[in-house]
Amino acid sequence: MAGYVGVLVSDPWLQNQFTQVELRSLKSSFMAMRRESDGGLKLAELPEKMSRLKHVGETLTEHERAAFLQESYQNLDVDVDFELFLRVKMFRICVLLDFDRTVFVNGISKAVIPCSCELMELQGNVCPQCRDIDNGFFSKKCCLNCRLYRSLVYLKLQTLATEKRGIGAKNASAFLKSPTSTLLHTISEPEKASYVAHINNYLGEDEFLKKYLPLDAATNDLFEIAKDGVLICKLINVAVPGTIDERAINTKRVLNPWERNENHTLCLNSAKAIGCTVVNIGTQDFIEGRIVQHMDSSVALYAYAALYQFAELEIIDRHLVLGVISQIIKIQLLADLNLKKTPQLVELVGDSTDVEELMNLPPEKILLRWMNFQLKKGGYTKTVTNFSSDVKDAEAYAHLLNVLAPEHSNPSTLKVKDPLERAKLVLEHADKMGCKRYLTAKDIVEGSPNLNLAFVAHIFQHRNGLSTQTKQISFPETLPDDAQTSREERVFRFWLNSLGNSSYIDNVFEDLRNGWLLLETLDKVSPGIVNWKIASKPPIKMPFRKVENCNQVVKIGKQLKFSLVNVAGNDIVQGNKKLILAYLWQLMRFNMLQLLKHLRSHSHGKEITDADILEWANSKVINSGSQSRMDSFKDKKLSDGIFFLELLSAVRPRSVNWSLVTKGSNEEEKKMNATYIISIARKLGCSIFLLPEDIIEVNQKMMLTLTASIMYWTLKQPVEDRACGASDTETGSLVDSSSNSTLDDTASESSTDDSSSN
């Protein structure tokens, strides 16, 4: 396998826009087109040839494809090589606005929007302000008009693509769509009203927001108040309390653009840290027109980050903001659907084996299982499998509420023939039992999956009908081994989801067992290293195919010099928690060091080591005038947080408000400092998933990744910005064109021995 290279193109930027699976498929399509054209393929032939390609032929007419090429290229009688074919293929299917003209742009779900400079260069009209373009993609030398064009183009992308596909709001599902589905559908007005009601209910008494609330769902109040980023920050803290240290939020009545940008950056990185899907993007990527990768349904979050930067130009794609809010609310509503928060859920299973199966289910599936468990009590014979078609007649709801709150039951609910009338009676029943609900009877009969999921989740939170006496089943061995293992699983799950793999991971120990997602991750961290010819794509029915995938995972790990003594692919297939965590830590660490290596121009290809990161941090702090230093990443003095606050202050002067810093002399003060460190780092742009406890306990590996994230962010800043600290909150999402990957500052303390961090 060491000799396997994969499909390579000369432009590393272009290489990193596709996985090897996609490149192989596209190369095959390209070669077939060339053969049909007697060995030569011209640009003029592409409109007809591209009709067979996914996301192009199915949406745009041949005339529209031809119109795009005529707009973008002066000479259509040129030969198309594979790289030019890829560039044309990358553009997303939609109508994009370029100020006073309309351009049809085509592509697939992994896309890059070129700046107008690049388009001018392709046509022979190089922008005089942007002549030096590195590898054909957007750089800081691009002029303001081009940066604005690039951002405008992207902000219009998803809405217009949705309209082009003719997807109605009725079928929208921001809650339930897979994070890697092709497109984020438009969110309906009822869903907007639901989110507004939720915000009014949970944030109405907030000291800062109460002067703006309640919001009116019939107006654009929600979008106006969200412009400064404070609302989303507060909503994140409602979903997962303590995620953001509110001392780090800019809450002046009138914020300047930099302060707004800081808040949006804090929102973006904090949303990732609670499990929202954000793929390889940050606020400044939009503002400065950097590469936009992995344009799938998670676009809601990373597009949101730049929406309000152009608010004055009235180009806000408001459904993207609602998409962000919907993900956050979903996390809040489903937070109790686990055995740790609600041990009574054990009543849903028969024995310890079933408990382990229950633990591996995503929260939505647990909610469905709970619903069916209660419905069975009430004699309802059908099985509810979704929150849309299976509940739109409201019969399941009527039975469910009769079981949970029989004192409010209405005999006529099940007798009425009209589903709409039945839905109204169901909602009356819910009101009587004091259950929050933000949907209407019409939303039920139309089968809105978002609102129905929220309704059932509210019912569960208010009255779950489970016994207060936990069922006596011996299941402690099926629970996470300890708090550390649980934290590690969370860390790696969020990190893997941030990479934009083909499937969303709900449980690391379960969802990685077929090896496919690990192979996808390896291909992102080290492009071309996976031999896809011998890999099996899910669904995989034959067990030995899973073992083959995992054997390749282990083989590649050894090739990357991971410590994998006596580890075999079958260990991953069997879900060996210790070994899976050990592998993931080494994979994350390898990714981190590779990113730093590519950024440090003075490394001259030399591998970056833990000692280099330690030396960098100490030198930064000392050069800032402080005498603090850390002896190692397990230095117990780090527990008070002072060193990291000084490091953050050193890399971005004035980022730390020292009047808010405690001495760290007791546990409470240490936690205050640790929470502040995490929020300030995220506010700068560091993509980190660690918890305050990791700093207080001085988790060695997490201290390494926290330091490395700050180092990575610093090295990504222009030299003049590093020197004077003039610009604010440039993105630090660890994405590098050489790896198409992110670094998330969390790690596993116990997942592997010290030999893995040589």
Side-chain angles (χ1 to χ4, degrees):
M1 190 189 77
Y4 179 77
V5 177
V7 179
L8 299 178
V9 294
S10 62
D11 185 348
W13 161 75
L14 192 60
Q15 176 85 43
N16 287 317
Q17 310 314 310
F18 304 93
T19 67
Q20 279 295 313
V21 174
E22 291 168 334
L23 283 172
R24 286 172 55 198
S25 175
L26 290 171
K27 186 68 175 284
S28 177
S29 298
F30 173 71
M31 296 305 295
M33 291 180 189
R34 287 195 62 181
R35 286 193 296 270
E36 292 176 3
S37 301
D38 297 325
L41 180 63
K42 303 291 185 182
L43 263 177
E45 299 178 77
L46 284 184
E48 186 274 327
K49 299 290 186 184
M50 292 181 74
S51 62
R52 70 195 66 181
L53 295 181
K54 185 178 180 183
H55 301 313
V56 176
E58 65 188 23
T59 304
L60 296 179
T61 66
E62 183 174 333
H63 174 73
E64 289 170 337
R65 293 191 295 272
F68 158 67
L69 290 176
Q70 289 169 3
E71 281 279 349
S72 301
Y73 303 96
Q74 289 184 340
N75 183 10
L76 298 182
D77 192 36
V78 298
D79 289 327
V80 178
D81 60 15
F82 185 53
E83 291 195 17
L84 179 56
F85 173 77
L86 288 179
R87 290 182 186 277
V88 174
K89 180 72 177 76
M90 281 192 313
F91 298 117
R92 190 87 181 177
I93 310 163
C94 66
V95 180
L96 300 178
L97 298 183
D98 179 7
F99 300 107
D100 59 347
R101 65 191 182 93
T102 299
V103 182
F104 291 105
V105 182
N106 309 286
I108 62 173
S109 59
K110 305 274 179 77
V112 171
I113 304 302
C115 73
S116 55
C117 301
E118 185 176 352
L119 292 178
M120 280 187 249
E121 186 176 45
L122 291 171
Q123 298 177 59
N125 301 319
V126 179
C127 174
Q129 298 185 53
C130 312
R131 190 172 297 276
D132 184 13
I133 301 177
D134 184 15
N135 287 330
F137 64 84
F138 211 74
S139 72
K140 281 210 165 192
K141 294 183 179 179
C142 290
C143 62
L144 177 60
N145 285 339
C146 295
R147 291 201 295 270
L148 184 57
Y149 167 81
R150 176 82 166 263
S151 301
L152 281 166
V153 159
Y154 181 73
L155 292 176
K156 288 294 180 184
L157 186 145
Q158 291 290 9
T159 300
L160 295 172
T162 301
E163 292 172 356
K164 183 69 183 174
R165 287 183 169 220
I167 299 171
K170 181 172 75 172
N171 298 321
S173 178
F175 274 169
L176 301 179
K177 287 293 176 186
S178 165
T180 51
S181 62
T182 303
L183 193 63
L184 177 70
H185 298 171
T186 304
I187 295 177
S188 66
E189 283 300 313
E191 288 174 339
K192 173 190 168 187
S194 172
Y195 305 151
V196 167
H198 185 94
I199 289 168
N200 288 338
N201 183 60
Y202 283 92
L203 292 173
E205 297 303 316
D206 180 85
E207 194 63 32
F208 177 80
L209 294 174
K210 64 183 181 181
K211 56 180 172 287
Y212 305 108
L213 301 180
L215 302 174
D216 184 354
T219 69
N220 291 323
D221 288 353
L222 175 61
F223 308 111
E224 289 300 315
I225 194 176
K227 283 183 179 180
D228 61 13
V230 177
L231 175 68
I232 309 296
C233 286
K234 299 276 189 177
L235 193 61
I236 288 172
N237 271 353
V238 169
V240 183
T243 299
I244 297 176
D245 188 328
E246 297 200 2
R247 296 175 296 173
I249 305 174
N250 297 322
T251 55
K252 294 190 306 184
R253 186 171 183 83
V254 179
L255 301 178
N256 63 44
W258 300 118
E259 291 166 333
R260 282 187 181 184
N261 187 38
E262 285 183 328
N263 282 348
H264 289 307
T265 305
L266 178 57
C267 289
L268 186 70
N269 289 311
S270 298
K272 286 194 290 183
I274 65 171
C276 296
T277 305
V278 187
V279 184
N280 291 357
I281 203 70
T283 308
Q284 291 297 108
D285 290 297
F286 283 83
I287 298 170
E288 299 189 359
R290 296 181 188 145
I291 298 173
V292 179
Q293 300 173 356
H294 297 298
M295 300 174 75
D296 47 37
S297 73
S298 59
V299 71
L301 259 172
Y302 59 71
Y304 145 78
L307 291 180
Y308 293 115
Q309 304 306 322
F310 297 95
E312 297 80 4
L313 300 174
E314 301 297 330
I315 58 169
I316 298 173
D317 283 333
R318 290 170 177 145
H319 77 284
L320 300 179
V321 178
L322 294 180
V324 179
I325 292 172
S326 72
Q327 289 195 62
I328 297 169
I329 292 175
K330 175 188 175 183
I331 289 170
Q332 176 191 346
L333 294 178
L334 301 181
D336 293 339
L337 282 154
N338 58 73
L339 286 173
K340 183 177 179 181
K341 293 284 188 68
T342 311
Q344 295 88 349
L345 284 168
V346 72
E347 191 177 343
L348 306 183
V349 300
D351 54 37
S352 59
T353 304
D354 292 334
V355 171
E356 186 168 9
E357 179 188 351
L358 182 69
M359 290 175 55
N360 290 330
L361 292 176
E364 298 95 321
K365 297 294 185 183
I366 296 177
L367 190 62
L368 282 171
R369 179 173 286 199
W370 166 81
M371 186 175 182
N372 285 308
F373 174 79
Q374 300 295 354
L375 288 173
K376 189 175 180 181
K377 287 183 183 179
Y380 189 70
T381 56
K382 298 178 183 178
T383 299
V384 177
T385 61
N386 58 65
F387 294 106
S388 183
S389 59
D390 287 358
V391 296
K392 64 195 309 182
D393 62 6
E395 286 186 12
Y397 284 146
H399 283 89
L400 177 65
L401 295 182
N402 283 343
V403 170
L404 298 176
E407 68 275 17
H408 300 302
S409 62
N410 184 343
S412 62
T413 303
L414 291 170
K415 293 179 181 179
V416 298
K417 301 298 183 182
D418 182 11
L420 185 62
E421 289 301 316
R422 187 183 304 116
K424 290 178 181 178
L425 293 173
V426 163
L427 294 180
E428 289 178 7
H429 194 160
D431 288 338
K432 289 177 182 178
M433 59 186 283
C435 177
K436 300 185 189 73
R437 51 94 175 175
Y438 306 129
L439 80 173
T440 65
K442 184 179 178 183
D443 297 327
I444 292 177
V445 298
E446 288 185 348
S448 171
N450 289 1
L451 300 182
N452 279 293
L453 178 142
F455 182 47
V456 178
H458 277 303
I459 294 173
F460 177 85
Q461 288 182 342
H462 184 74
R463 189 178 298 191
N464 60 40
L466 299 173
S467 174
T468 55
Q469 299 295 321
T470 303
K471 190 175 180 180
Q472 295 301 308
I473 291 180
S474 177
F475 67 89
E477 69 276 6
T478 67
L479 293 172
D481 299 334
D482 52 42
Q484 182 63 29
T485 298
S486 180
R487 291 212 307 256
E488 292 167 2
E489 189 277 336
R490 169 189 175 277
V491 162
F492 295 128
R493 173 162 38 94
F494 291 165
W495 176 65
L496 290 168
N497 284 331
S498 76
L499 301 180
N501 289 318
S502 62
S503 299
Y504 188 81
I505 298 172
D506 289 296
N507 185 296
V508 161
F509 305 124
E510 182 67 23
D511 296 345
L512 300 184
R513 290 171 61 176
N514 63 20
W516 183 261
L517 290 174
L518 284 172
L519 289 173
E520 286 190 340
T521 303
L522 286 163
D523 190 58
K524 292 176 184 297
V525 170
S526 184
I529 201 168
V530 176
N531 186 348
W532 293 107
K533 292 182 179 179
I534 63 173
S536 299
K537 185 176 182 178
I540 304 174
K541 296 182 179 179
M542 304 299 291
F544 76 93
R545 296 293 186 191
K546 298 179 182 179
V547 175
E548 286 178 344
N549 280 355
C550 293
N551 281 340
Q552 186 177 180
V553 168
V554 173
K555 186 174 182 180
I556 293 173
K558 292 178 178 178
Q559 183 179 337
L560 297 177
K561 299 182 181 179
F562 293 178
S563 176
L564 299 171
V565 180
N566 297 324
V567 177
N570 195 52
D571 293 315
I572 299 175
V573 176
Q574 296 300 319
N576 186 310
K577 294 181 179 180
K578 182 178 180 180
L579 294 179
I580 290 173
L581 291 176
Y583 191 97
L584 289 175
W585 157 241
Q586 293 181 85
L587 181 57
M588 178 186 280
R589 179 177 176 275
F590 173 81
N591 180 39
M592 167 186 72
L593 297 179
Q594 288 298 108
L595 292 174
L596 289 172
K597 172 185 173 182
H598 288 298
L599 274 185
R600 285 189 88 179
S601 57
H602 59 273
S603 67
H604 302 295
K606 177 185 175 183
E607 297 297 330
I608 299 294
T609 66
D610 298 0
D612 292 328
I613 299 172
L614 181 69
E615 180 185 357
W616 174 87
N618 281 325
S619 65
K620 277 290 179 184
V621 172
I622 291 172
N623 290 340
S624 71
S626 172
Q627 298 303 311
S628 298
R629 66 173 287 109
M630 61 174 166
D631 297 327
S632 69
F633 294 111
K634 54 185 177 181
D635 188 339
K636 292 301 180 183
K637 297 193 300 292
L638 297 175
S639 66
D640 62 13
I642 301 299
F643 179 84
F644 287 111
L645 288 166
E646 291 183 337
L647 178 59
L648 289 167
S649 182
V651 300
R652 174 65 75 205
R654 300 182 301 280
S655 62
V656 176
N657 183 345
W658 287 100
S659 67
L660 302 176
V661 176
T662 72
K663 294 181 180 179
S665 55
N666 55 50
E667 289 299 307
E668 182 180 354
E669 290 186 349
K670 288 179 180 180
K671 186 168 185 178
M672 290 178 67
N673 284 352
T675 305
Y676 192 51
I677 289 167
I678 293 170
S679 292
I680 291 299
R682 287 174 180 157
K683 186 177 178 180
L684 290 182
C686 298
S687 179
I688 54 178
F689 296 139
L690 79 169
L691 297 172
E693 291 78 6
D694 298 314
I695 297 176
I696 296 169
E697 296 168 9
V698 192
N699 183 314
Q700 179 181 354
K701 295 184 176 69
M702 293 190 182
M703 295 302 93
L704 166 63
T705 50
L706 171 60
T707 310
S709 180
I710 298 171
M711 179 180 179
Y712 182 89
W713 177 85
T714 305
L715 294 178
K716 285 189 72 175
Q717 308 313 303
V719 175
E720 62 271 17
D721 284 357
R722 290 186 229 162
C724 66
S727 67
D728 294 309
T729 56
E730 308 229 12
T731 183
S733 177
L734 295 191
V735 184
D736 186 78
S737 61
S738 63
S739 70
N740 197 25
S741 182
T742 61
L743 165 65
D744 299 312
D745 297 354
T746 37
S748 166
E749 174 76 41
S750 60
S751 60
T752 186
D753 55 32
D754 289 339
S755 64
S756 69
S757 56
N758 291 334

